[in-house]
Amino acid sequence: MKLPLAFFSTVCVLSGCTTANPVIQQQIDDLTACQKVEGLLQSYPSQFNALKMAKVSNKFMDVWQAKYHLVGDACQISQVSTGSNYQCQKVYTQATEAVSSYQQAVSIIASCLDMKQWHKTESLINGVHRATFSAPLQPEITVLSASTLAKVSQSWQTSVTVGTAQPSK
């Protein structure tokens, strides 16, 4: 039986965790993609507090490692003066891998949301694939696939962002 996100939040707050204990981490790892999406939407109003782990601050913003990942394995929660967002990304050596990852992420997210309440917009402009999911009183979910700015070798990335806050340039 899967335990709700509220349980993980309570345990983490009580233990003051920056990393989950192995039992809790296994339960987090066992969450389905839809449970993760639901957890992100539920924790958005609290600036994703239930999903924050180790904090890494710099002079521009506060950043935390996230407890779970929708794409790749290095998701982060960023907080700036305009709000918070959850972002994951994974880099690929082939464009086809990035596009496949993008399509899979869009499909999974769409299957997790009530598409009678959510609106999906997709575009392909200059090789950039973008899908945006929006609903009243909910954070925006964006899935993006594009080439990176790497100068040494060509690479592509797929990213998922939940929330609307963007770091200052």
Side-chain angles (χ1 to χ4, degrees), residues 28-51:
I28 291 170
D29 293 343
D30 289 344
L31 292 173
T32 67
C34 287
Q35 289 171 318
K36 292 177 181 180
V37 169
E38 182 180 324
L40 286 165
L41 295 175
Q42 289 175 353
S43 65
Y44 178 75
S46 69
Q47 300 178 331
F48 303 106
N49 283 334
L51 303 177

Side-chain angles (χ1 to χ4, degrees), residues 52-56 62-66 75-79:
K52 293 176 181 175
M53 287 183 35
K55 183 177 181 180
V56 180
D62 291 328
V63 178
W64 292 263
Q65 295 172 344
C75 298
Q76 298 180 333
I77 298 164
S78 303
Q79 188 171 330

